[in-house]
Amino acid sequence: MKTISENKAFGGVQGVYTHMSDACGCEMTFAVYLPPQAQEGPVPCLWYLSGLTCTHENAMTKAGMQAHAAEFGLALVFPDTSPRGDDIANDDAYDLGQGAGFYVNATEAPWGPHFQMETYIASELRDLVTENFAVSVHHGITGHSMGGHGALTLAMKYPGHYQSLSAFAPISNPANSDWGRKQLGAYLGADETLWPAHDASMLLRDKGWVGDVLVDQGADDQFFDLLKASALSDALIETKTAHCYRLQEGYDHSYYFVSTFARDHVAWHAERLKG
């Protein structure tokens, strides 16, 4: 692991790091914020998964989460959204390839050798963070858009890994959306019976979620139809999953929306991770 930068922020430290990933077969970049409380011992950890076209840097610089993490005593982890590099498969479209890993383990060419984002987030990077930073065994996960999809699906697939869950405007039903069918088909192949394992609304009905969940969705989100928000809200009700689903009037899909409600999400996770 190499340190790219470390800057003091709100009494804690915002760092950016790189390492060689066995899962993705390339160098990966990620960011970690340690609040001032980490100087006294391990603190709970909140993972933030970003959306299409993003890197580790978007939420780190735009969401304003460090101030809230310092207030509540949580570490933050900002992974990248895909493997990157000249030798890594890519696509000319913004919604496939580098910057658009969809947090799945790809099985199809040319994506399979490097696009192993599920294993990378849930296993490899988790181990790296817990071994090298002052974080406890209590982890929560959240994310925005494609990252909201990743947060929901990984939490349900790895329930022992995460004790709290939330999402900002998640892609909720990718198996039935143009933001999903293209990517799942490319990464996992044409057999659509494999897709529900990566679809939050379908996965909720299959595996469920052991805790409660907070979801914020902008009512004026320009991508509302692509996100399939109603599919997730219907699944939450049908499965009797405890939840707080908030439709926020006037808000769109941008980081202005995310930053407005970031404190609510950090507080939500802190309450559950700190008991």
Side-chain angles (χ1 to χ4, degrees), residues 149-219:
H149 143 79
L152 293 167
T153 56
L154 293 181
M156 286 184 271
K157 295 181 77 171
Y158 300 88
H161 280 37
Y162 309 102
Q163 292 81 51
S164 58
L165 173 62
S166 73
F168 300 85
I171 299 175
S172 300
N173 187 202
N176 292 306
S177 170
D178 288 343
W179 267 3
R181 292 188 60 82
K182 171 184 177 180
Q183 294 82 1
L184 296 179
Y187 295 141
L188 305 177
D191 182 0
E192 296 188 21
T193 63
L194 301 176
W195 298 1
H198 306 278
D199 183 299
S201 298
M202 295 179 173
L203 199 57
L204 190 61
R205 293 183 174 93
D206 180 33
K207 290 186 175 294
W209 167 244
V210 295
D212 50 6
V213 58
L214 169 64
V215 179
D216 274 306
Q217 171 64 59

Side-chain angles (χ1 to χ4, degrees), residues 85-213:
D86 293 339
D87 297 328
I88 308 298
N90 201 9
D91 190 271
D92 291 337
Y94 76 95
D95 58 355
L96 185 67
Q98 295 184 35
F102 260 74
Y103 305 102
V104 302
N105 284 341
T107 58
E108 300 299 300
W111 315 106
H114 298 288
F115 281 71
Q116 302 296 309
M117 290 300 293
E118 178 180 330
T119 296
Y120 177 68
I121 298 295
S123 298
E124 184 180 20
L125 186 58
R126 178 186 175 91
D127 290 344
L128 186 69
V129 168
T130 56
E131 291 169 5
N132 290 277
F133 298 90
V135 301
S136 73
V137 296
H138 303 294
H139 292 236
I141 191 166
T142 188
H144 172 229
S145 194
M146 179 185 72
H149 143 79
L152 293 167
T153 56
L154 293 181
M156 286 184 271
K157 295 181 77 171
Y158 300 88
H161 280 37
Y162 309 102
Q163 292 81 51
S164 58
L165 173 62
S166 73
F168 300 85
I171 299 175
S172 300
N173 187 202
N176 292 306
S177 170
D178 288 343
W179 267 3
R181 292 188 60 82
K182 171 184 177 180
Q183 294 82 1
L184 296 179
Y187 295 141
L188 305 177
D191 182 0
E192 296 188 21
T193 63
L194 301 176
W195 298 1
H198 306 278
D199 183 299
S201 298
M202 295 179 173
L203 199 57
L204 190 61
R205 293 183 174 93
D206 180 33
K207 290 186 175 294
W209 167 244
V210 295
D212 50 6
V213 58

Side-chain angles (χ1 to χ4, degrees), residues 35-43 134:
Q37 295 86 339
Q39 298 171 22
E40 305 299 325
V43 295

